[in-house]
Amino acid sequence: MSVLIGEEIEKALKNKSIAIEPLDRSQIGPGSIDLTLGNDFRIFKKKFKTYHIKNDSHFQDITRDVHVKDGSYIVIKPGQMVLGITKEKITLADNISGRLEGRSRFARFGLAVHVTAGFMHPGIANHQVLEMVNLGNGPLALYPGTRICQFIFEKCDGHATYQGRFVEQVKP
């Protein structure tokens, strides 16, 4: 696999092997596209019991929905994790995959944007869930619309299309 850079990203957008909606052209960088934080979050319920992690476990059972209006913010305390989602919907051709990465400017505050699920399969057509953790020493206020992460595109050898559990996700 090879990483697509600026000119190749532009070509892929033009020939529609990559589609991002909405997209401001200023989000396109030399090796990635910045994605913005959406308004919907999932906050973990405060329970003091053991959560059993099995194939049929559902994260919705231990979280609750929170909607943050534009101009407002959500606070993540040190050591806390919340789920967020990108405003942008990403659609990839069946021979392009990608990686979701944080941005160094926010990592320097202690913000990790994804815990483990940074790989995006070829053929996706959904919004990207962010597994955000505050690894810093103080609370972090996150605002919808902030360019919170970046998406790196990779050309695949062969073709495949993701058909998993989150194929149509629009909320975290």
Side-chain angles (χ1 to χ4, degrees), residues 2 29 39 54 64 79 85 106 124:
S2 58
N39 299 78
K54 303 184 292 186
R64 64 181 174 83
I85 198 158
F106 301 129
I124 62 168

Side-chain angles (χ1 to χ4, degrees), residues 156-169:
C156 302
D157 292 333
H159 300 266
T161 299
Y162 176 72
Q163 296 296 322
R165 179 186 245 179
F166 303 110
V167 71
E168 295 181 12
Q169 72 189 2

Side-chain angles (χ1 to χ4, degrees), residues 6 27 30 61 65 79 81 94 125 140 156 169:
Q27 291 174 251
D61 296 339
D65 289 316
M81 179 174 146
D94 64 0
L140 299 175
C156 302
Q169 72 189 2

Side-chain angles (χ1 to χ4, degrees), residues 50-63:
T50 301
Y51 299 116
H52 295 271
I53 306 299
K54 303 184 292 186
N55 288 331
D56 61 351
S57 298
H58 296 281
F59 67 95
Q60 297 93 335
D61 296 339
I62 62 168
T63 60

Side-chain angles (χ1 to χ4, degrees), residues 103-136:
R103 298 187 65 207
S104 63
R105 71 176 52 196
F106 301 129
R108 292 172 181 162
F109 287 91
L111 180 66
V113 173
H114 67 85
V115 177
T116 63
F119 177 74
M120 303 305 153
H121 293 274
I124 62 168
N126 55 20
H127 297 258
Q128 305 310 299
V129 169
L130 308 172
E131 304 153 338
M132 299 179 292
V133 178
N134 180 353
L135 300 173

